[in-house]
Amino acid sequence: MSSAAKTLDLLSHFSDLRPEIGLSQLCRLAGRDKATTYRHVQALEEAGFVEQNPVTKRYRLGPALLQLAQIRERTVPRKAGVEAPLHMLAEATGETAHVAVLSGTTLYALHQLESVKHSTRVLIDVNTFPLHATASGLCALAFGPNELVDLATKTMTRFTPETITTPDALKGEIAITRQRGFAQSSGGYEHDVHSMSAPIFDQTDLFAGTVSVACVATRVTPELTRIIYEHLVLASRGITHNWGGSVPDIIEAAWAGSLTGTEALEPMT
Amino acid sequence: MSSAAKTLDLLSHFSDLRPEIGLSQLCRLAGRDKATTYRHVQALEEAGFVEQNPVTKRYRLGPALLQLAQIRERTVPRKAGVEAPLHMLAEATGETAHVAVLSGTTLYALHQLESVKHSTRVLIDVNTFPLHATASGLCALAFGPNELVDLATKTMTRFTPETITTPDALKGEIAITRQRGFAQSSGGYEHDVHSMSAPIFDQTDLFAGTVSVACVATRVTPELTRIIYEHLVLASRGITHNWGGSVPDIIEAAWAGSLTGTEALEPMT
DNA sequence: CTGTATCGGTTCATATATTGAACCATTGGT
DNA sequence: ACCAATGGTTCAATATATGAACCGATACAG
């Protein structure tokens, strides 16, 4: 692992739940020496990626990130055009909806929205989604570049007793996902969470990301599943359109097969 | 310069004008070896800070930045509460308005807005503002932490014939700025640009950033200067309020002294 | 269809920059 | 007055970064 990679890795320990981190705590989180961590965090501070709270001496993310994010969003608009469909999805299902984007071989969380309908809901608190253990990941494996499958079968970490950990089981699940047009994962990453996911496409008409609903598992019924499927279709079509792409016919056909007898069949006009 | 710093430095070459950069071009921009640059860019890609455009093979900023920027903004809200006052400022003055934030000893560009009133306008295309050569920088020196002055007097790069390059001249300018409540710089960084700047304060009631107007120099008149001053006061009060701070009495007094006989004197009620 | 000049990416011996145990100075709690 | 944290620093040992040279692919001109 290069020194640069270690330095960048420090940033991944910041989150909404832990927005400020002291030097010692950061050492523990990163599992590295204090002197090393200090130099790394200094490099980050120098570049404006973190700044030190003058009163607590703890570190927090810095202003340089805002500029870079702005450039990124202007270069590849992704957040724009996600909000509205996601809002509708969360409202219609009463569950947590989220979108992930594929970059290289990694699936990054882009945006999430929690419905206020129930007092219990799923909180998404990850930066990247494991390919073999989440609905989003399965979706990427089923509809994304083929190389992902080879990669995923190599590192199948077990998160829960339900996690798929054999390549054969994974390939079976991918086949089902392709046929159904939706990915589904029940407690494979976190217990009591049932997720369903549909692919999103961009201006190259290639797989670009996923839109998903993460349910509290005890609430899942055939009826809710049907509602989620229908609205996943709408959200995927909407976001795909906003990203300048179009949903491949083969996907629309798969959705149609999974949703016979509902209005969600008709393509958007 | 640490390897990590060199790696992070690569990111600074991306901008709205140059959102995608190939490996060779990045080498030239960074002035470093190709193998080195390649490894650095790989570390960045690994962390999701850049991604490779699959068709052009060129690199662009990655999705991880969006998450981090979101966390930063939730931790320290800065962009929120800048837009509205900046819009009013740009409209009222007909010139380019921008806000910078101080992090450590560096002044970072946060947001800018160009008025559409004139066909010529100033474009802000920097990430960080030099302390000795811009109105924003002078403002930071006059109203920010004292250590900045020592630092600024050590590295007074000449950008134009008008750039202040002697410590004594700088200290004089700082004194005038403190007394006036506004910083002013005419062509010190870019020729034909005349800038005026007022300080912003945050919840600690310490200097947190600047709000500025960058004018096309040929348009500057005493009348326009007065208008800009008045609206800088309003913008500074507004943003300071949105950042949870309050404008120190000493600053309000300085403004009052510079603007006798106008309505901008009255504090916001 | 051959010669040339790019491009992105890779190799390996060299040597330079990174590392971490031990150390300080401060702070806050008991 | 003590102890256990904290953030920050030092320096010898060595792991890690470096860049000249190289490769294969692509694009273009003659």
Side-chain angles (χ1 to χ4, degrees):
Chain A
M1 198 182 205
S2 73
S3 156
K6 285 180 220 160
T7 303
L8 293 170
D9 182 58
L10 292 179
L11 293 173
S12 68
H13 295 101
F14 292 89
S15 71
D16 287 325
L17 289 77
R18 205 197 294 114
E20 273 198 354
I21 310 180
L23 179 59
S24 299
Q25 195 183 357
L26 197 52
C27 295
R28 285 190 295 269
L29 288 168
R32 277 195 288 276
D33 184 81
K34 193 165 52 160
T36 304
T37 307
Y38 180 64
R39 277 186 305 267
H40 288 171
V41 88
Q42 281 227 320
L44 289 171
E45 189 173 22
E46 194 81 20
F49 282 66
V50 303
E51 67 182 9
Q52 202 169 21
N53 184 326
V55 303
T56 64
K57 296 277 180 189
R58 308 206 299 173
Y59 297 92
R60 63 188 178 204
L61 296 175
L65 293 164
L66 296 180
Q67 300 173 51
L68 293 173
Q70 203 167 345
I71 296 169
R72 153 76 188 189
E73 184 64 12
R74 277 205 267 260
T75 312
V76 188
R78 286 288 176 263
K79 290 203 85 116
V82 158
E83 198 109 15
L86 215 52
H87 185 76
M88 285 172 57
L89 184 60
E91 282 309 295
T93 61
E95 301 286 344
T96 297
H98 68 276
V99 169
V101 290
L102 183 74
S103 177
T105 57
T106 311
L107 211 47
Y108 292 88
L110 177 72
H111 199 71
Q112 55 262 344
L113 223 62
E114 295 130 32
S115 163
V116 291
K117 193 170 162 191
H118 302 105
S119 58
T120 58
R121 59 190 97 147
V122 179
L123 293 175
I124 311 289
D125 191 35
V126 295
N127 298 323
T128 63
F129 294 94
L131 294 174
H132 67 289
T134 61
S136 293
L138 275 172
C139 206
L141 292 173
F143 306 112
N146 289 325
E147 70 219 68
L148 291 184
V149 180
D150 305 334
L151 202 144
T153 49
K154 272 172 196 140
T155 55
M156 302 183 67
T157 314
R158 176 179 288 289
F159 298 104
T160 73
E162 283 81 37
T163 306
I164 297 171
T165 50
T166 70
D168 281 349
L170 186 64
K171 276 168 187 156
E173 204 61 44
I174 292 171
I176 294 171
T177 302
R178 287 204 176 112
Q179 190 237 306
R180 184 169 48 199
F182 303 100
Q184 205 160 319
S185 168
S186 195
Y189 184 58
E190 283 191 282
H191 202 61
D192 290 330
V193 176
H194 184 103
S195 278
M196 294 165 223
S197 194
I200 306 174
F201 303 85
D202 68 6
Q203 75 280 1
T204 65
D205 281 349
L206 294 173
F207 174 87
T210 64
V211 54
S212 314
V213 173
C215 304
V216 174
T218 52
R219 277 206 289 269
V220 177
T221 62
E223 173 62 10
L224 181 63
T225 302
R226 200 186 55 77
I227 292 173
I228 289 173
Y229 276 1
E230 285 176 16
H231 285 90
L232 275 178
V233 169
L234 299 178
S236 170
R237 284 192 195 134
I239 297 169
T240 294
H241 179 254
N242 290 340
W243 288 6
S246 59
V247 177
D249 292 339
I250 191 171
I251 304 287
E252 287 284 0
W255 287 343
S258 303
L259 288 169
T260 45
T262 79
E263 286 177 36
L265 293 182
E266 318 306 329
M268 231 173 15
T269 46
Chain B
M1 197 182 204
S2 73
S3 157
K6 285 181 222 161
T7 303
L8 292 170
D9 182 57
L10 291 178
L11 293 174
S12 69
H13 296 101
F14 293 88
S15 71
D16 287 325
L17 290 77
R18 205 197 295 116
E20 272 198 354
I21 310 180
L23 179 59
S24 298
Q25 194 182 357
L26 197 52
C27 295
R28 286 190 293 269
L29 288 167
R32 276 195 288 277
D33 184 82
K34 192 165 55 160
T36 303
T37 307
Y38 180 64
R39 277 187 303 268
H40 288 172
V41 88
Q42 282 226 320
L44 289 171
E45 189 172 22
E46 193 82 20
F49 282 66
V50 303
E51 66 182 9
Q52 202 168 20
N53 184 327
V55 304
T56 64
K57 296 276 179 191
R58 307 208 298 174
Y59 296 92
R60 62 187 180 207
L61 295 175
L65 292 164
L66 296 180
Q67 299 174 50
L68 293 172
Q70 203 167 347
I71 296 168
R72 153 74 188 190
E73 183 65 11
R74 279 205 264 261
T75 313
V76 188
R78 287 288 176 263
K79 292 204 85 119
V82 157
E83 199 108 15
L86 214 52
H87 185 76
M88 286 172 58
L89 185 59
E91 281 309 295
T93 61
E95 302 286 343
T96 297
H98 68 275
V99 169
V101 290
L102 183 75
S103 177
T105 58
T106 310
L107 210 48
Y108 293 89
L110 177 72
H111 199 71
Q112 54 261 345
L113 224 63
E114 295 130 33
S115 164
V116 292
K117 192 171 162 189
H118 302 105
S119 59
T120 58
R121 59 190 94 143
V122 179
L123 293 175
I124 312 289
D125 190 35
V126 296
N127 298 323
T128 63
F129 294 95
L131 295 173
H132 67 289
T134 62
S136 292
L138 274 173
C139 206
L141 292 172
F143 306 111
N146 289 324
E147 69 218 70
L148 292 184
V149 180
D150 306 333
L151 203 143
T153 49
K154 273 174 197 137
T155 55
M156 302 182 69
T157 315
R158 176 180 290 288
F159 298 104
T160 73
E162 284 81 35
T163 305
I164 297 171
T165 50
T166 69
D168 282 349
L170 185 65
K171 275 168 188 157
E173 204 60 46
I174 292 170
I176 293 171
T177 302
R178 287 203 176 112
Q179 190 237 306
R180 184 168 48 197
F182 304 99
Q184 204 161 317
S185 168
S186 195
Y189 184 56
E190 284 191 282
H191 202 61
D192 290 330
V193 175
H194 185 103
S195 278
M196 294 165 223
S197 194
I200 306 173
F201 303 85
D202 69 6
Q203 76 281 0
T204 65
D205 281 350
L206 293 174
F207 174 87
T210 65
V211 55
S212 314
V213 174
C215 304
V216 175
T218 53
R219 277 205 289 270
V220 177
T221 61
E223 173 62 10
L224 180 63
T225 302
R226 199 186 55 78
I227 292 174
I228 289 173
Y229 275 2
E230 285 177 15
H231 285 89
L232 275 177
V233 168
L234 299 178
S236 170
R237 284 194 194 131
I239 297 169
T240 294
H241 179 254
N242 289 340
W243 289 7
S246 58
V247 177
D249 293 340
I250 192 171
I251 304 288
E252 287 284 1
W255 287 342
S258 303
L259 289 168
T260 45
T262 79
E263 286 177 38
L265 294 182
E266 319 306 328
M268 231 170 17
T269 49

